Every structure is written in structure tokens, then in C-alpha cells.
Amino acid sequence: MSPLVKVLVILFVTALVAGCKIAVIVVEGGKVQSNGSDVCVEGTICIVEVNSTSFSESFTAVPNPGQHFVKWNSGWGFFCGDSTDPTCTLSAVDFDGNEGIEALIASDQTFYLMPIFEP
């Protein structure tokens, strides 16, 4: 296979798996545990890829000892904004066939999830 063909195949495969992202931002005071992406510890940003309408994942804010979960941060592009439930469930399962949602999932847009912890 020629180098040009290899590059084209790689670009094609990359385009197929491209999708929107969820940036899980964890500040001081705890971690975020999910049922699919493992654990995101304090002081890190973990990127979760959303590639299809089969995406369904729960994220749970887990405070460190001496801390407590207050709420999920809010603002443009933030999921579960102002919710005081430590578990944020995100699912695209019911949107199969919805062209708008499928286009958003296929985009390279980034959304956010950030817990707020306090002593």
C-alpha cells in the first residue's frame, strides 16, 4: 500500500470515530467516577469521547474526606448545571435517528462537567 493511500485510510478512519467530547474538570476536593470512563481525579481534566447515540454514562462526584459535594457547575456548555445530585447521567440513547443530535455528536464540540466541592 502506498504512503498516500495509508494516509487517506487513516484520515477516513479518524473521521469515522470523531465525535463530540465531554471534558470532566475536577477541581480540588474530590474526584468523579463514571461507569464507563473510570475515575477522574482532582486537578485533572478527563476527556470522554461521544461517538454515537448509544452513549450512556453516569458520572458521580465523590468528595475527599472532610469535603462535601455542593453542586455541578453551570454555564454555557455545562451538563447538569446547578444540580445538587452527585450523580449526573448523560444519555443519547433515545435520540437515535434525530438528525440534530446526531450532527452534534458527529461534531468536534466540547461540553463540560465540573463538580463543586467545599470543606
Side-chain angles (χ1 to χ4, degrees):
M1 184 180 300
S2 77
L4 177 60
V5 172
K6 286 181 185 179
V7 169
L8 290 174
V9 168
I10 290 170
L11 288 174
F12 178 73
V13 170
T14 302
L16 288 177
V17 297
C20 69
K21 296 160 190 59
I22 301 169
V24 181
I25 305 165
V26 184
V27 294
E28 285 186 43
K31 61 186 174 186
V32 173
Q33 188 162 7
S34 74
N35 63 331
S37 298
D38 209 14
V39 177
C40 191
V41 297
E42 67 182 320
T44 62
I45 299 172
C46 300
I47 304 297
V48 178
E49 299 280 338
V50 180
N51 296 317
S52 73
T53 54
S54 65
F55 178 84
S56 183
E57 198 160 328
S58 293
F59 300 87
T60 302
V62 180
N64 290 338
Q67 299 280 321
H68 73 277
F69 170 75
V70 177
K71 64 180 181 176
W72 293 100
N73 196 33
S74 63
W76 187 91
F78 279 86
F79 286 122
C80 297
D82 289 329
S83 173
T84 57
D85 184 339
T87 300
C88 175
T89 300
L90 304 175
S91 179
V93 172
D94 293 333
F95 296 100
D96 192 32
N98 181 311
E99 291 179 15
I101 298 296
E102 288 178 349
L104 186 63
I105 289 171
S107 76
D108 63 352
Q109 188 155 353
T110 300
F111 297 94
Y112 307 95
L113 189 61
M114 185 173 102
I116 298 173
F117 300 105
E118 288 183 353

